[in-house]
Amino acid sequence: MSQGFVNSDTQATTMNNELVQVINGDAEFVPLESLRAQLSQLGFDSKGFAYSVVAILGCQSSGKSTLLNMLFGTSFPVMQAEHGRSQTTLGVWLGLSASGGTGGSVDESILVMDVEGVDSRERGEEHTAFERKTSLFSLALADVLIVNTWHNDIGRYVAGNVALLKIVFELNLQLFLKPGASRKLILFIIRDHVPELTPLSKLTDMIMSDMHSIWTSLPKPAAFGPSPQLSEFFEFRFTSLPHKVLRADQFVTDVDALRRKFVDASGPDYLLLAPSARQTSVPADGFAKFAENIWETIKANKDLNLPTEKEMLATYRCDEISQAALAKFSAAAEPLQQAQLRGELLQQFGQAAAMLLASALAEYDPQASRYVADIAQAKRLSLEKAVLVLLYSMFERQLTLLSQQVAASFLKSLAAKFPSDGLASRDFAKQASAARQASLDEFLHGAAEACLASAAAGEWTSEAALVQLQGLIDERIASAREEQIKALNKEVKADINSGYAKPFDKLLESAEPDALWPKLRQLHESVLTRAESFLLDRLQGFAASSTEQQQRVKELQDLAVHVLKSRFLEKTKFLQYILNKRFETCFGQDERGLPRRWKANDDVAAIFARSKRQAEQLLEAFCVLRLDPSLDQVDFLSAESTADPEPSLVILSPEEASALREQFSEAARSLYLQALRDQENIATVSRVPTYMIVLVLMLGFNEFLYILTNPMLLILLILAAGFASVVHFLNLSGPVPKSAKSAT
């Protein structure tokens, strides 16, 4: 570029006085992100559809940039005439109109496109290819295409832009082959016009004559019919401007009048189309990508299809908008997800989810709705689905936390209904049923609050979680029921123990051996009947089935047998003492229960045999539980016995019983021998002759008097006589000498 001009090809992507280069001098599209950032800085992104594109074509150094600056308040670089005439604008530049449209409801901006001039010396022989691409680029994007021409060039082929317009016509025919194309407005601005010499109408006729000649010479696709008219494809308008230098004041006045045609929507000559009729009809935030797609298509020498390009743009931009909305949604949902991970149950989750969904769609809709409706709707559905997937995962986590909370509160609620003293509940079934229903109602209420009230979330359901919770609660109820049954069993066992306690000990002490088990069976039946009645009454509160009741009664019967056997097993620890005591009672006491005084005529052997048999019968009673009366006649201690009782009924094994019997026999034998000695002693005393007694009294009379007269000796005599009497009457004449002997 020549020295003295403002813009430079080496600064292709920089802004200069709010200008943005789109295509540089090497026919390369500037980096997309850079272009988008610069347009965003200009505030263009927020315009939506409220903008129009005006492009200008014309020969190099024909005053195009100057005219645009005066019309739209832009600051495109202009040629400095004092430095010579050369190329000023390289590639394609954009500027945003300093003032938007006014009048009516119009409030929009004009995006001004300054295109590199045609027929430039710098391009040389390559100018045609570049001019064709930039012309198609301008034609595809612009709503109004300005053709800037000098009045004295009208009638010339190149300088009069005839060659350029032929390219425009050819390219527009290509665009019209695709659906959705509309007529293009071409505004001819005739520069340095002198109306006094040549009326504008004459110049207009000459230009239109050239336009029809070009149109006639062009081959028309068969799709347009036999004779398509030029007016079907283009709308032409004409205006002129005086010399900028020689008639400066009039030039400014006419430019201002022309500017009003672009900005005053209420004027009769308003040049801009309604948004629905515009060529581009793409949102401002997608303009940069749309322009890039068009240029890349043109560079690749592919047929330009604007509807397809719009669809591609819609796909690209809607994806971007969707990703941004999804990212914003994820950021908003993150605190809720973290709270759930900490185990916090979110309140009013359904409302929060609905707000998050609505917020994501509200973030998407205003921007995406400007693009191709079908694509925007499809991407909206994809966004909605993605949001719902994330929300549903949170919904499932919410149900899990809700289930955990309900299950925990259920256990506390159920436990609070049970007696605090450890006894079993008297109405477990009703209490559990009420607590279960309350917990399920709590879950259903919480699940309803957590569910998203949206048609898109119709598949959301808490049924699976409800079924799982029901199973969990039923498991907890079953577990609690078992615990309460255990507590009930403890009560039953305590009742059985209480029923056996005193009667059992009393029977062991007093009952005759042959009457022991009949009485124990009566006691067992009494205890069992009372316990069964108690158990069946309490099982009603557990809603036990008849089968379960039968099973529990069977367990109770086994328990009663076990308790009875346990009591026998406890007594076996002292069985040797019990046997000895039973023998001593029978052997050492008479029928009145008084200590027995052996006499010379007492049958010690018979009494011993009877007493020993009593003790051995008691030992026999301890061997086996005889709840079956048929076992009463079985002698398990007999060497000839072939009885083989059930192991569960055995209290003492044959070996244990034999050992106890031997120990008892030894102790009983000692008592028997002592009784025999006592009987012999009594017999010896009773055989002393009478005369010996008289002789002892006569010979010991003096000693007797001495004792009677001596108090100390008298007292000793009385004590000795008393002791001898006690020994005699208690039949201790055998044990006392034996004890004295062992002590020495």
Side-chain angles (χ1 to χ4, degrees):
M1 184 177 185
S2 301
Q3 184 179 3
F5 296 102
V6 177
N7 59 333
S8 170
D9 191 44
T10 60
Q11 297 175 326
T13 60
T14 60
M15 284 181 55
N16 183 10
N17 297 327
E18 298 184 345
L19 298 179
V20 180
Q21 190 171 32
V22 182
I23 300 170
N24 62 24
D26 296 326
E28 297 293 336
F29 200 88
V30 299
L32 177 62
E33 293 305 319
S34 174
L35 176 60
R36 291 176 66 175
Q38 293 178 71
L39 289 176
S40 178
Q41 289 179 14
L42 291 177
F44 180 67
D45 278 1
S46 61
K47 298 297 181 181
F49 290 106
Y51 74 97
S52 296
V53 180
V54 176
I56 190 166
L57 299 177
C59 294
Q60 176 181 302
S61 304
S62 60
K64 300 188 301 300
S65 299
T66 300
L67 177 60
L68 293 177
N69 291 341
M70 295 186 70
L71 279 174
F72 302 111
T74 54
S75 55
F76 291 113
V78 298
M79 184 186 70
Q80 305 297 323
E82 62 270 20
H83 296 290
R85 306 185 69 82
S86 61
Q87 190 179 49
T88 304
T89 302
L90 287 178
V92 179
W93 289 73
L94 294 176
L96 195 61
S97 173
S99 60
T102 59
S105 60
V106 179
D107 184 11
E108 59 182 55
S109 298
I110 299 174
L111 191 63
V112 184
M113 184 182 298
D114 192 8
V115 183
E116 179 180 322
V118 301
D119 197 20
S120 65
R121 179 189 62 191
E122 287 79 1
R123 289 287 174 187
E125 295 181 357
E126 297 177 356
H127 71 92
T128 302
F130 184 76
E131 291 166 5
R132 183 178 181 87
K133 291 175 181 178
T134 55
S135 297
L136 181 55
F137 184 71
S138 303
L139 189 65
L141 294 177
D143 300 302
V144 177
L145 189 62
I146 298 176
V147 178
N148 186 65
T149 185
W150 295 85
H151 81 286
N152 54 359
D153 286 333
I154 296 174
R156 298 174 182 172
Y157 186 77
V158 177
N161 294 313
V162 174
L164 175 63
L165 289 170
K166 184 176 181 180
I167 294 174
V168 170
F169 286 5
E170 290 175 348
L171 297 176
N172 204 44
L173 283 175
Q174 295 180 15
L175 295 180
F176 257 85
L177 284 172
K178 310 299 180 183
S182 59
R183 288 201 311 167
K184 181 68 63 180
L185 174 60
I186 298 180
L187 175 62
F188 284 90
I189 298 180
I190 303 172
R191 304 289 294 275
D192 293 356
H193 178 222
V194 182
E196 295 81 2
L197 296 179
T198 307
L200 179 59
S201 59
K202 293 295 183 180
L203 297 176
T204 300
D205 292 340
M206 292 179 65
I207 294 174
M208 287 305 300
S209 176
D210 290 338
M211 298 301 100
H212 284 291
S213 297
I214 297 171
W215 182 253
T216 303
S217 65
L218 291 176
K220 317 296 190 304
F224 296 136
S227 57
Q229 299 300 310
L230 179 61
S231 58
E232 297 176 18
F233 299 87
F234 295 97
E235 178 185 359
F236 297 97
R237 295 197 190 182
F238 300 88
T239 189
S240 64
L241 296 173
H243 198 285
K244 180 178 181 296
V245 177
L246 300 180
R247 301 181 64 183
D249 293 340
Q250 186 62 41
F251 182 86
V252 172
T253 300
D254 289 351
V255 168
D256 187 59
L258 179 59
R259 184 184 66 81
R260 285 195 296 272
K261 293 180 180 181
F262 282 99
V263 299
D264 188 1
S266 62
D269 298 325
Y270 186 59
L271 294 172
L272 301 181
L273 300 174
S276 60
R278 291 172 186 164
Q279 180 72 18
T280 51
S281 298
V282 296
D285 58 358
F287 179 83
K289 180 63 178 176
F290 184 62
E292 182 190 45
N293 290 345
I294 288 177
W295 183 251
E296 295 302 324
T297 302
I298 292 171
K299 277 188 65 178
N301 292 320
K302 297 179 181 178
D303 289 340
L304 186 60
N305 187 336
L306 290 183
T308 301
E309 297 297 337
K310 290 179 182 179
E311 291 175 359
M312 292 173 60
L313 172 65
T315 301
Y316 175 81
R317 281 294 296 142
C318 289
D319 276 337
E320 279 193 333
I321 298 168
S322 175
Q323 290 300 319
L326 188 60
K328 193 170 183 179
F329 159 79
S330 298
E334 177 67 19
L336 300 181
Q337 291 176 313
Q338 292 299 322
Q340 286 185 326
L341 291 176
R342 292 193 299 270
E344 298 178 16
L345 184 65
L346 303 178
Q347 301 300 318
Q348 302 294 332
F349 174 78
Q351 293 183 10
M355 291 177 62
L356 287 172
L357 175 61
S359 177
L361 296 179
E363 184 75 16
Y364 174 86
D365 286 339
Q367 301 179 67
S369 61
R370 300 166 182 161
Y371 294 93
V372 179
D374 292 344
I375 295 176
Q377 180 62 21
K379 295 298 181 181
R380 187 184 194 275
L381 292 175
S382 297
L383 170 64
E384 188 175 32
K385 183 177 180 181
V387 170
L388 287 175
V389 167
L390 292 175
L391 287 177
Y392 188 71
S393 66
M394 296 175 65
F395 172 71
E396 288 183 320
R397 177 63 179 167
Q398 181 78 356
L399 292 184
T400 299
L401 294 173
L402 179 61
S403 296
Q404 293 173 352
Q405 176 178 293
V406 169
S409 63
F410 167 78
L411 285 179
K412 292 180 180 179
S413 173
L414 188 61
K417 299 178 183 295
F418 298 153
S420 58
D421 54 4
L423 298 178
S425 171
R426 293 183 174 272
D427 205 2
F428 177 85
K430 290 184 178 180
Q431 293 170 340
S433 178
R436 180 182 189 274
Q437 189 58 49
S439 295
L440 294 181
D441 290 343
E442 179 185 355
F443 175 82
L444 290 174
H445 177 72
E449 286 187 347
C451 194
L452 178 62
S454 169
E459 298 180 359
W460 285 27
T461 176
S462 60
E463 290 184 4
L466 176 61
V467 171
Q468 186 176 4
L469 176 62
Q470 288 173 332
L472 179 60
I473 288 179
D474 290 343
E475 288 178 4
R476 300 286 174 84
I477 290 177
S479 177
R481 190 177 189 274
E482 285 301 315
E483 291 299 321
Q484 290 299 302
I485 290 292
K486 288 180 181 179
L488 177 58
N489 288 338
K490 288 182 180 179
E491 293 184 46
V492 172
K493 185 175 182 180
D495 183 68
I496 292 174
N497 274 316
S498 174
Y500 278 132
K502 292 181 179 179
F504 180 82
D505 292 341
K506 186 176 181 181
L507 285 175
L508 287 184
E509 291 176 2
S510 61
E512 293 296 327
D514 54 353
L516 177 62
W517 270 110
K519 292 183 178 181
L520 280 177
R521 280 195 293 270
Q522 291 179 1
L523 175 62
H524 177 73
E525 290 298 329
S526 173
V527 170
L528 191 59
T529 300
R530 186 180 67 178
E532 284 184 7
S533 176
F534 174 78
L535 176 65
L536 291 174
D537 178 65
R538 295 294 295 275
L539 284 176
Q540 298 299 318
F542 288 87
S545 65
S546 58
T547 302
E548 182 183 4
Q549 291 181 19
Q550 293 174 3
Q551 178 186 351
R552 298 295 180 186
V553 169
K554 178 63 172 60
E555 293 174 355
L556 170 64
Q557 294 171 348
D558 294 340
L559 176 63
V561 173
H562 174 73
V563 170
L564 182 59
K565 183 177 179 179
S566 297
R567 287 199 163 269
F568 270 104
L569 290 174
E570 289 178 5
K571 293 298 183 180
T572 57
K573 300 176 183 178
F574 314 101
L575 186 55
Q576 183 67 48
Y577 168 77
I578 294 173
L579 295 177
N580 291 339
K581 183 178 180 182
R582 174 58 66 96
F583 175 79
E584 290 174 3
T585 300
C586 296
F587 189 64
Q589 295 181 358
D590 58 18
E591 291 76 5
R592 295 172 299 174
L594 298 176
R596 191 185 299 277
R597 291 187 59 193
W598 296 109
K599 300 176 182 178
N601 58 348
D602 286 340
D603 189 355
V604 177
I607 296 173
F608 170 76
R610 185 173 63 252
S611 299
K612 183 180 180 184
R613 185 166 56 254
Q614 285 270 338
E616 288 179 344
Q617 286 177 344
L618 184 60
L619 177 60
E620 175 73 25
F622 264 85
C623 289
V624 178
L625 292 177
R626 301 170 189 261
L627 297 175
D628 185 355
S630 63
L631 296 177
D632 286 350
Q633 306 305 319
V634 179
D635 187 358
F636 294 97
L637 291 178
S638 173
E640 294 80 15
S641 175
T642 59
D644 186 17
E646 294 182 12
S648 61
L649 300 178
V650 175
I651 302 173
L652 289 175
S653 66
E655 294 77 11
E656 293 173 331
S658 297
L660 285 170
R661 188 175 186 178
E662 290 297 327
Q663 294 175 10
F664 160 70
S665 296
E666 291 181 5
R669 190 178 298 109
S670 298
L671 293 177
Y672 171 68
L673 294 176
Q674 182 62 40
L676 290 177
R677 285 194 292 271
D678 292 343
Q679 189 180 44
E680 290 176 358
N681 292 335
I682 292 173
T684 301
V685 172
S686 61
R687 288 197 299 268
V688 177
T690 305
Y691 67 90
M692 288 298 296
I693 298 174
V694 174
L695 182 62
V696 169
L697 291 175
M698 293 176 61
L699 295 176
F701 181 75
N702 293 331
E703 287 77 6
F704 181 68
L705 289 177
Y706 177 75
I707 292 172
L708 291 177
T709 57
N710 191 325
M712 291 298 294
L713 292 178
L714 181 62
I715 291 173
L716 290 175
L717 179 61
I718 293 172
L719 291 176
F723 178 75
S725 298
V726 171
V727 170
H728 174 72
F729 284 108
L730 293 181
N731 198 22
L732 298 177
S733 57
V736 170
K738 184 177 180 180
S739 299
K741 183 178 180 180
S742 62
T744 57

